[in-house]
Amino acid sequence: MVSVEGQGQARAIAMYEWIKALHVIAVIAWMAGMLYLPRLFVYHCDAEVGSRQSETFKVMEWRLFKAIINPAMVVTWLAGLYLAWSAHLYVSGWFHAKFALVLLMSGVHGFFSRCVKDFAADRNTRSQKFYRIFNEVPTALMILIVVLVVVKPF
Ligand code: HEM
């Protein structure tokens, strides 16, 4: 017969697995947006201010940011913090490194929010080359974060 304590433990493990699935789903949505948004900025740089194309990009950027990137980031954070807290993973070295990189990713998120507002107000001054290069920052951070959390090298 399974003890009450054993049942509680099995429930906690199941809960952990479900929250981890939610975390990974939210990460996918957040990253999809973080990788696509700077691409839109690259194309937007080519569109003349006031043109129909430029106005369409504004709507695409705004919707992607508000409807996908923002809520996905919130869910990623909440689920990730739950995982770290419930399994006491905040004591591990890999988690500290991952946390620092996730803070950087969140900083990039904040910067993209400013870019969306700048494009919306037709006051973007950054070049297409800048966005092309900056496009690689969330990619590099994502690769490092996934390696840290899966390989757990330290
Ligand atoms: C926002 C803050 C975040 C926190 C606090 C956090 C925390 C965690 C924790 C504690 C785990 C469980 C690890 C395990 O069970 O071994 C986890 C799993 C995972 N995280 Fe995060 N995470 C965050 C953001 C991210 C981001 C931005 C990415 C990717 C770019 C990511 C990718 C993953 C993946 C792929 C897993 C599953 C790993 C596995 O089961 O092997 N996380 N996260």
Side-chain angles (χ1 to χ4, degrees):
M1 212 175 96
V2 184
S3 67
V4 174
E5 200 183 317
Q7 278 177 352
Q9 226 165 24
R11 247 201 308 269
I13 292 169
M15 174 84 162
Y16 185 87
E17 300 301 344
W18 277 102
I19 301 286
K20 187 145 90 173
L22 177 69
H23 179 66
V24 174
I25 293 163
V27 161
I28 291 170
W30 188 20
M31 289 306 108
M34 292 291 285
L35 301 182
Y36 188 51
L37 190 60
R39 274 274 113 207
L40 285 178
F41 294 154
V42 168
Y43 302 137
H44 199 156
C45 284
D46 265 346
E48 217 171 292
V49 169
S51 66
R52 214 171 132 175
Q53 210 183 19
S54 171
E55 295 307 305
T56 306
F57 279 129
K58 285 183 192 178
V59 175
M60 288 168 78
E61 287 154 4
W62 184 250
R63 288 201 182 143
L64 182 63
F65 198 75
K66 282 280 147 191
I68 296 181
I69 300 181
N70 265 350
M73 182 190 71
V74 172
V75 176
T76 301
W77 265 102
L78 292 177
L81 289 176
Y82 171 86
L83 295 172
W85 164 77
S86 71
H88 306 282
L89 292 170
Y90 44 80
V91 295
S92 317
W94 66 265
F95 181 76
H96 297 157
K98 175 182 171 169
F99 198 76
L101 294 178
V102 173
L103 283 178
L104 278 178
M105 185 77 87
S106 303
V108 174
H109 180 116
F111 173 64
F112 282 174
S113 158
R114 215 174 74 198
C115 296
V116 169
K117 284 182 193 141
D118 284 349
F119 272 113
D122 292 323
R123 56 162 192 256
N124 169 60
T125 50
R126 297 172 203 94
S127 69
Q128 194 180 57
K129 194 172 167 199
F130 171 86
Y131 288 114
R132 262 184 214 286
I133 294 168
F134 208 87
N135 198 9
E136 306 307 327
V137 175
T139 311
L141 287 173
M142 177 198 65
I143 292 168
L144 292 172
I145 291 169
V146 171
V147 169
L148 279 170
V149 75
V150 174
V151 181
K152 299 183 174 61
F154 43 85

